[in-house]
Amino acid sequence: CRVEYLNYEVLDDRGWDLDDEDLMETAADGGLDREDYGQFWVRPRESLLEAAERHGFAWPFACRGGACANCAIIVLEGDMRTRVDHVLPQEMLDQGFQLSCNGMPVTDELQVVYNVKSMPELEDLLL
Ligand code: FES
């Protein structure tokens, strides 16, 4: 699966909108570091966090076991399956939140915003 990613901190700093349909195009043209925006491939049976780390990126995490939400991301396009999730309520899943520590893509393409742990929605869930 090919993953296109964007750092939430950049989005927040620049005042970009998560609901903007052209968000990833805007990011692609934004002259961002590879750390903040880019693409990588996820291998079969590899979690998104593991794939990010294999490419040399330090995405946030803590427990790696579906219990803390530090690794949360938002899926804009595509779909993921998360094996263990003890933390995200259904309404957040409905909004596209997933856990990167054990979430695996189930579509060929995925667009995600990572590092969303500073969003107010996550404040009460972080351990
Ligand atoms: Fe704790 Fe993913 S790192 S839920």
Side-chain angles (χ1 to χ4, degrees):
C1 165
R2 188 171 62 90
V3 178
E4 188 175 10
Y5 59 89
L6 171 64
N7 186 349
Y8 179 76
E9 230 169 70
V10 169
L11 176 149
D12 202 30
D13 280 355
R14 302 210 175 185
W16 293 342
D17 188 350
L18 261 179
D19 296 325
D20 181 353
E21 280 186 13
D22 299 325
L23 176 61
M24 284 305 193
E25 282 83 351
T26 307
D29 295 339
L32 300 174
D33 291 341
R34 234 176 84 66
E35 185 182 299
D36 293 325
Y37 167 81
Q39 301 183 359
F40 60 68
W41 290 85
V42 184
R43 291 174 178 160
R45 289 183 298 284
E46 191 175 47
S47 76
L48 199 55
L49 178 62
E50 287 164 346
E53 290 173 339
R54 182 167 55 77
H55 288 86
F57 302 124
W59 285 17
F61 69 91
C63 73
R64 286 183 179 269
C68 75
N70 282 283
C71 68
I73 57 165
I74 293 182
V75 177
L76 301 177
E77 281 291 336
D79 205 4
M80 288 178 61
R81 197 119 319 135
T82 301
R83 278 169 302 152
V84 186
D85 179 352
H86 299 298
V87 64
L88 296 179
Q90 186 61 46
E91 73 256 28
M92 290 184 68
L93 297 173
D94 293 344
Q95 291 167 41
F97 287 92
Q98 289 283 343
L99 302 175
S100 69
C101 69
N102 70 92
M104 296 178 185
V106 292
T107 48
D108 291 340
E109 309 261 330
L110 201 64
Q111 284 186 344
V112 303
V113 175
Y114 78 96
N115 195 23
V116 301
K117 64 193 177 93
S118 58
M119 289 180 75
E121 286 90 331
L122 281 151
E123 218 165 85
D124 296 338
L125 299 178
L126 298 178
L127 290 177

